[in-house]
Amino acid sequence: MNKIKVSFDTWIQLLGMVGILGGLVFVGLEMRQTQQIAIASQVNERNQSQLARSNIWLEGQWELGHKITTTPYEELSEAEKFARNTMLQWQRDIQTNNFFQYRMGLLTEEQWEVVAFRIEAQWRNCSIRHTYQNAVLEEPFREYLLSLDDPCK
């Protein structure tokens, strides 16, 4: 049996290559995390700008806001129903954004529990369920909603 001698320089080169590979893996992971944060920030910023633009028509009309959130849907005028449906659409947009951020790993479990509780409470409210039926929802969020208990059946 022949013994193979490996020089000290070869060991140093091997360690250097392992170090470079480890560094590249680390950089790749950091780039992936940075991309996820950038995507989530973009989605959140788009959501915030839509909400700011949409809230303009409610400014100075707190009575309308109070009425459409406390009066049974059936007792509202057509204009008030439109306002309430629009407000509920904004809430769904926020819910979708929160669900997306959770899926990206950008919400803690504690934050998600609060968000999930609010989503489920609204989903269980049969008087506003109609606003979900005609909404355009991302498929993962739609699947999540359909996985929840449904007292409105």
Side-chain angles (χ1 to χ4, degrees):
M1 194 188 270
N2 291 338
K3 288 189 175 185
I4 299 174
K5 278 183 122 183
V6 180
S7 72
F8 183 70
D9 288 347
T10 304
W11 284 109
I12 295 293
Q13 288 176 359
L14 177 65
L15 288 174
M17 287 174 35
V18 168
I20 289 172
L21 287 175
L24 288 174
V25 168
F26 178 75
V27 167
L29 291 173
E30 287 291 319
M31 287 177 61
R32 182 172 179 230
Q33 182 182 26
T34 301
Q35 180 187 22
Q36 286 179 327
I37 291 170
I39 290 169
S41 294
Q42 185 272 334
V43 169
N44 189 51
E45 194 59 38
R46 185 179 68 228
N47 187 44
Q48 291 300 320
S49 68
Q50 288 173 344
L51 289 173
R53 182 179 63 233
S54 301
N55 278 335
I56 289 173
W57 67 271
L58 265 181
E59 284 186 15
Q61 299 185 54
W62 68 268
E63 296 94 349
L64 174 62
H66 177 71
K67 184 174 184 180
I68 65 175
T69 57
T70 58
T71 303
Y73 189 79
E74 302 75 31
E75 297 176 20
L76 296 174
S77 70
E78 289 305 311
E80 292 165 342
K81 286 179 182 179
F82 176 79
R84 184 169 180 179
N85 290 340
T86 301
M87 184 190 69
L88 292 169
Q89 178 185 345
W90 300 336
Q91 290 176 348
R92 271 194 325 277
D93 291 344
I94 292 170
Q95 292 172 355
T96 303
N97 181 43
N98 287 335
F99 181 76
F100 175 82
Q101 298 235 356
Y102 175 69
R103 282 187 22 227
M104 295 289 288
L106 299 173
L107 292 180
T108 65
E109 285 300 319
E110 293 82 13
Q111 290 169 321
W112 174 247
E113 286 176 19
V114 172
V115 169
F117 176 80
R118 290 180 182 153
I119 292 171
E120 290 174 31
Q122 210 165 14
W123 179 251
R124 286 190 304 267
N125 185 342
C126 300
S127 69
I128 62 171
R129 177 62 67 82
H130 66 280
T131 63
Y132 282 94
Q133 293 167 342
N134 298 325
V136 177
L137 302 172
E138 293 177 10
E139 192 56 33
F141 186 60
R142 179 182 304 283
E143 290 172 7
Y144 169 73
L145 291 173
L146 294 175
S147 73
L148 300 174
D149 289 336
D150 188 356
C152 303
K153 286 184 179 179

